[in-house]
Amino acid sequence: MCGGPESKSQPIGLAHPLKLKHDFAHGQIVRWSDVEFDANNETIRTRKAMEAAFAK
């Protein structure tokens, strides 16, 4: 089951350029903390800002 912004799950649409930090079991939710990403990337900054706005 996928979660919303409160789940801190990694959006599948942004997953392609990211590197996983460790292996995952089939069906396990991948969270932001599970991937390496460039925090200066405009798309990721926009997504993180959206998550923060909707978390309120």
Side-chain angles (χ1 to χ4, degrees):
M1 180 175 179
C2 294
E6 68 281 352
S7 73
K8 308 289 188 215
S9 59
Q10 167 59 49
I12 191 73
L14 300 179
H16 180 70
L18 305 180
K19 182 177 180 180
L20 296 174
K21 292 180 179 178
H22 50 87
D23 293 334
F24 291 87
H26 178 76
Q28 183 177 348
I29 293 176
V30 178
R31 294 179 170 76
W32 284 110
S33 60
D34 298 321
V35 296
E36 295 176 7
F37 60 91
D38 178 2
N40 293 316
N41 177 290
E42 183 177 357
T43 303
I44 291 176
R45 281 195 333 256
T46 301
R47 174 61 189 208
K48 296 291 235 168
M50 184 187 75
E51 289 176 1
F54 285 104
K56 296 178 182 181

